C-alpha cells in the first residue's frame, strides 16, 4: 500500500502512472486510486472542507485496504493535506501503509499549473485551494521523500521502487 501525498501539481499522478508500469513489468499486479477519480464517483458528494477531505481519505483508505487484502499492490495519490488526515489512513492500513511525500515547492507547482487550478485559486474563482487558501502541513514522518523539482519523474520512480523493494525485504 503506497500512499503518495503532496500538493496539486507536485507529480503524484505522474509518479503513480510510471510506478504502476514498472511494477507490472516486474510481474507485480497493482492498482491506482486517486483523488480526482474517487471524487468523480464514490466520493462525488464530498468537497474540500477539512472534514470532507478527512472523509475522502477515510473512504480511500478503506477501499485500498479491501483491494490490498486481495494481494494487489495499491498506489494511492491524494493531497492528504493535514497530519490528521495521514493518521486516518495509517490507522486503517496499519503496517501496510507506506507514506511517500511528493515534495515540490509551491512556486514550482504554481508554474506548472497543469490543470489551471492555481490560476483559478488566485482569481478567487476556486475556493479552499490547497497551498493557496487551504492548509498543507509538511509531513513529519514520511517513509520516503521524492523531490520532483530536482529529479526526473523516472528517477523518482526508481527511488520509490528501490525503497519499496527494501521494505518488502525487511518484512520478509
Ligand atoms: S484531498 O485533500 O482530499 O486529499 P484529493 O487528492 O482527493 O484531495 O483531490 C485533489 C484534486 O482535486 C486536485 O488534484 C484537483 O484536481 C482537484 N481540486 C479541485 N478543487 C480543489 C481544491 N479546492 N483543493 C485541492 N484540490 C482541488
Amino acid at each position: 500500500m503506497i500512499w503518495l501525498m503532496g500538493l496539486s501539481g507536485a507529480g503524484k499522478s505522474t509518479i503513480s502512472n510510471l510506478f504502476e508500469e514498472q511494477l507490472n513489468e516486474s510481474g507485480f499486479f497493482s492498482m491506482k486510486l486517486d483523488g480526482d477519480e474517487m471524487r468523480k464517483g464514490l466520493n462525488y458528494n464530498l468537497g474540500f472542507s477539512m472534514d470532507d477531505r478527512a472523509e475522502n481519505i477515510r473512504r480511500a483508505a478503506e477501499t485500498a485496504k479491501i483491494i490490498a487484502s486481495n494481494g494487489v499492490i495499491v498506489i494511492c495519490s491524494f493531497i492528504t493535506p493535514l497530519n490528521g488526515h495521514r493518521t486516518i489512513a495509517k490507522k486503517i492500513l496499519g503496517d501496510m501503509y507506506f507514506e511517500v511525500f511528493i515534495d515540490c515547492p509551491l512556486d514550482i507547482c504554481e508554474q506548472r499549473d497543469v490543470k489551471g487550478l492555481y490560476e483559478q485559486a488566485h482569481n478567487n474563482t476556486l475556493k479552499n485551494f490547497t497551498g493557496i487558501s487551504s492548509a498543507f502541513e509538511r509531513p513529519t514522518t514520511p517513509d520516503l521523500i521524492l523531490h520532483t523539482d530536482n529529479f526526473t519523474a523516472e528517477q523518482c520512480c526508481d527511488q520509490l521502487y528501490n525503497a519499496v523493494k527494501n521494505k518488502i525485504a525487511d518484512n520478509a
Side-chain angles (χ1 to χ4, degrees):
M1 239 308 316
I2 321 294
W3 195 278
L4 308 181
M5 77 171 85
L7 292 168
S8 179
K12 299 185 295 298
S13 301
T14 307
I15 291 175
S16 162
N17 289 335
L18 280 176
F19 188 52
E20 191 198 26
E21 271 174 33
Q22 192 165 357
L23 286 173
N24 289 348
E25 277 167 18
S26 311
F28 296 105
F29 186 48
S30 62
M31 281 182 71
K32 295 174 291 186
L33 288 180
D34 80 65
D36 283 319
E37 283 301 316
M38 292 281 290
R39 285 169 174 280
K40 277 188 208 152
L42 183 63
N43 292 349
Y44 82 94
N45 57 338
L46 299 176
F48 289 90
S49 68
M50 287 307 178
D51 282 353
D52 276 10
R53 290 178 196 254
E55 177 60 10
N56 181 43
I57 298 306
R58 189 191 68 77
R59 291 184 200 172
E62 291 287 4
T63 307
K65 187 177 176 181
I66 295 169
I67 302 170
S69 70
N70 285 286
V72 178
I73 298 175
V74 191
I75 311 159
C76 292
S77 317
F78 294 85
I79 294 177
T80 333
L82 302 185
N83 286 318
H85 297 149
R86 296 153 198 158
T87 306
I88 292 171
K90 199 172 192 166
K91 266 197 187 146
I92 292 168
L93 293 161
D95 287 344
M96 285 192 284
Y97 180 76
F98 188 76
E99 186 175 283
V100 183
F101 179 30
I102 309 298
D103 190 3
C104 183
L106 178 62
D107 58 323
I108 295 183
C109 295
E110 285 182 287
Q111 280 164 35
R112 291 178 181 165
D113 205 7
V114 188
K115 301 177 196 162
L117 298 176
Y118 282 98
E119 193 183 347
Q120 290 180 38
H122 281 297
N123 293 341
N124 223 10
T125 49
L126 183 59
K127 309 278 182 209
N128 290 331
F129 192 70
T130 309
I132 306 297
S133 42
S134 183
F136 182 85
E137 295 173 346
R138 279 185 76 82
T140 48
T141 53
D143 295 299
L144 179 69
I145 302 180
L146 297 176
H147 296 276
T148 59
D149 55 331
N150 290 331
F151 295 96
T152 65
E154 287 74 16
Q155 288 170 328
C156 289
C157 186
D158 285 343
Q159 290 168 21
L160 177 56
Y161 190 78
N162 288 331
V164 170
K165 255 197 342 205
N166 288 341
K167 163 136 177 151
I168 292 170
D170 284 350
N171 288 351

